[in-house]
Amino acid sequence: MARSKRANGEGSVYQRSDGLWVGAAYVLTTTGHRKRITVSAKDQETAANRLRRKMADSDAGIPVAAESWTVGRFLRYWLTHVAREKQPRTVEGYAVVVNRHLVPALGQKKLDRLSAADVRTFMQQVRNRCRCCSDGLDAKRPEKARRCCAVGKCCGRTPTDRTVQQIHAVLRNALQHAMREELIPRNVAKLVQIRTPRYGVNRGLSFEQSRTLLEAAEGDRLSALYVLALYMGLRRGELLGLRWSDIDWDGWDKPCPDHAEDFCEDCSDRFSPSFQIRQTLQRVGAELRFLPPKTERSERVYPLIRVCAEALLDHWDAQDDERDAAEHWGDSGLVFTTPTGGPLDPSNLRSSWHPLRKRAGLDGVRLHDLRHSCVTLLLRLGVPPHIVRDIVGHSDIDVTMTIYASVSLDDKRQALSRLAKELG
């Protein structure tokens, strides 16, 4: 069929010899030049509508990509040149999501043709498919141990809401950058709503449990680490990255001029020792790396209260004994080290933490729950939320109040009892 003639700038719609309808027109591109683009469909009306949308975007100043990108190609470009500005552990997590989930499912699609329906279908597949099926976990087991997808059965262990949210967030962030570079007119991932994870409550320890834990930690090689984790709410990487040079002992050995005591707790605000969080220790891939704190607010100064200062001094003496006993001492300058002075791998903390929590009768409690406990206990003592936020280094007070702070039945009972008392 012959092409229909139109006025200049209107484009044209014609049918190819194979029966496919094609629309063609010159539109604005991301390089600032005009380029001839084509759209296709099985019928004339659909092809014409697609062409009109392209031309309308061009007239509105929304350019089309100067080159054709697939979703997979752009995601790898984004990982290499854009996401690398994030923390290494964050980039490592992005790469897992991109390579394990996004590229296999969406990698072959054209970036500018990715639709909200494509994203919605993909997210539904992620939510409903078990990890054994999606990651081939069962096939990697020894033949006699296979019990799921590899033998035609499904365990039904689908991803958590948090995992689904993370996958969606990585895609959304990548497409947002594609929109900034004017490769796509809109971020279709933002049009797809994802179920918000429901965070558990009461993950922190009570006052009584905290006391039990501290008693069980007495005499432990890393007792001071657990003291700092509970009293200061430090993250694991912050504890393991702490150096002796980050501690300012000024005033520790000065007697109080008013009470003639060594380090008077009541007057310690005038000359209290302090320490700074300047780095964290993280495992990135196959190596241990010292990295900046998680956020700008995470780089903070702490007052060194007496209980923490005494725990650190005892730890210092014990470390001196280890240095004298070691044949070769790695002088890392870190507060918490291996018995030979080297950096302590974060995963190796389990060998100390798991026996400790068992002694305290707290099986199932994670080391990170001590950070939750610090936040929760401070709030229960009536400490203003903005002070708690600064103590633990949260980037936003909503994190302090929504995720970490929990309300126990006792808290609710006391609050309601106070209301009942006031109302008579």
Side-chain angles (χ1 to χ4, degrees):
M1 180 178 292
R3 304 187 188 187
S4 57
K5 291 187 177 181
R6 298 175 179 234
N8 288 338
E10 291 186 4
S12 60
V13 179
Y14 60 93
Q15 189 176 29
R16 294 191 326 201
S17 59
D18 60 2
L20 191 68
W21 285 88
V22 177
Y26 282 88
V27 297
L28 182 69
T29 70
T30 52
T31 62
H33 300 89
R34 299 186 73 80
K35 170 186 175 183
R36 186 175 185 270
I37 57 98
T38 60
V39 295
S40 59
K42 293 181 179 180
D43 59 86
Q44 183 179 11
E45 184 180 357
T46 303
N49 288 337
R50 289 178 179 174
L51 183 62
R52 278 195 293 269
R53 284 197 294 269
K54 290 285 186 181
M55 295 173 65
D57 286 343
S58 179
D59 292 340
I62 302 174
V64 299
E67 57 179 317
S68 180
W69 289 81
T70 62
V71 174
R73 181 186 169 204
F74 176 77
L75 287 173
R76 292 192 176 94
Y77 160 81
W78 175 74
L79 272 179
T80 304
H81 300 286
V82 181
R84 63 184 301 178
E85 297 179 2
K86 301 284 187 179
Q87 290 275 14
R89 284 294 298 275
T90 302
V91 177
E92 193 175 42
Y94 285 171
V96 170
V97 171
V98 167
N99 296 323
R100 181 178 295 174
H101 300 283
L102 299 180
V103 170
L106 302 173
Q108 297 303 315
K109 291 185 176 293
K110 294 292 185 181
L111 180 64
D112 58 349
R113 295 184 184 178
L114 186 68
S115 67
D118 294 330
V119 176
R120 189 176 297 107
T121 300
F122 163 68
M123 297 309 305
Q124 196 64 36
Q125 290 172 346
V126 170
R127 182 179 298 281
N128 295 331
R129 195 176 185 191
C130 82
R131 286 195 60 209
C132 293
C133 296
S134 59
D135 299 343
L137 298 181
D138 198 44
K140 297 176 183 177
R141 298 182 178 123
E143 189 170 352
K144 293 183 179 180
R146 294 173 184 173
R147 59 184 182 275
C148 185
C149 307
V151 294
K153 299 179 182 179
C154 182
C155 62
R157 295 176 58 189
T158 55
T160 63
D161 288 344
R162 177 59 177 155
T163 299
V164 175
Q165 184 191 52
Q166 288 173 334
I167 295 171
H168 178 260
V170 173
L171 179 61
R172 187 186 67 241
N173 291 341
L175 294 183
Q176 189 66 20
H177 185 77
M179 195 173 73
R180 292 192 195 102
E181 294 197 359
E182 297 185 320
L183 298 177
I184 53 177
R186 62 179 180 173
N187 187 343
V188 294
K190 282 189 172 182
L191 304 178
V192 180
Q193 292 185 337
I194 297 298
R195 186 189 307 162
T196 303
R198 297 183 63 182
Y199 294 96
V201 296
N202 290 328
R203 290 182 293 177
L205 305 181
S206 65
F207 285 104
E208 187 60 36
Q209 289 173 322
S210 299
R211 295 189 192 100
T212 301
L213 178 70
L214 293 175
E215 291 172 1
E218 291 180 2
D220 190 286
R221 180 178 176 274
L222 296 176
S223 174
L225 183 145
Y226 303 119
V227 171
L228 289 180
L230 186 57
Y231 277 93
M232 302 293 188
L234 296 180
R235 300 178 178 92
R236 180 178 62 174
E238 294 170 346
L239 289 162
L240 299 181
L242 185 65
R243 298 164 294 193
W244 290 111
S245 60
D246 296 328
I247 303 175
D248 181 6
W249 293 99
D250 184 41
W252 174 254
D253 56 354
K254 294 180 181 178
C256 173
D258 296 332
H259 300 89
E261 297 179 20
D262 291 338
F263 190 79
C264 175
E265 195 73 56
D266 294 332
C267 304
S268 61
D269 58 327
R270 285 185 281 177
F271 46 80
S272 174
S274 62
F275 69 95
Q276 288 184 276
I277 299 299
R278 292 174 174 163
Q279 65 177 13
T280 66
L281 179 64
Q282 303 281 347
R283 172 163 289 283
V284 181
E287 62 176 346
L288 291 175
R289 293 175 59 181
F290 291 102
L291 302 171
K294 186 176 181 180
T295 64
E296 289 185 10
R297 193 176 288 274
S298 297
E299 192 166 343
R300 57 204 186 276
V301 180
Y302 276 102
L304 191 59
I305 59 175
R306 182 167 188 168
V307 63
C308 294
E310 291 179 342
L312 285 171
L313 288 173
D314 290 342
H315 180 76
W316 200 346
D317 290 339
Q319 193 176 82
D320 283 342
D321 293 339
E322 289 182 339
R323 181 186 289 106
D324 294 339
E327 294 184 9
H328 302 286
W329 180 261
D331 196 5
S332 62
L334 297 172
V335 175
F336 302 109
T337 67
T338 64
T340 57
L344 189 59
D345 192 313
S347 61
N348 288 346
L349 271 181
R350 297 191 190 96
S351 61
S352 170
W353 170 247
H354 287 185
L356 171 60
R357 71 182 185 182
K358 186 174 183 180
R359 292 197 302 271
L362 298 172
D363 284 340
V365 175
R366 306 169 305 165
L367 177 62
H368 192 71
D369 287 338
L370 300 188
R371 177 171 169 83
H372 293 283
S373 303
C374 177
V375 175
T376 304
L377 297 179
L378 287 172
L379 290 172
R380 287 179 184 171
L381 290 172
V383 179
H386 70 280
I387 296 179
V388 179
R389 175 200 62 192
D390 288 347
I391 288 175
V392 296
H394 286 156
S395 59
D396 195 299
I397 200 167
D398 287 343
V399 178
T400 310
M401 298 305 297
T402 305
I403 299 179
Y404 287 85
S406 59
V407 180
S408 69
L409 286 176
D410 288 338
D411 296 328
K412 297 174 185 177
R413 185 178 294 109
Q414 291 175 13
L416 294 173
S417 297
R418 288 173 59 188
L419 176 62
K421 183 178 180 180
E422 289 297 326
L423 294 177

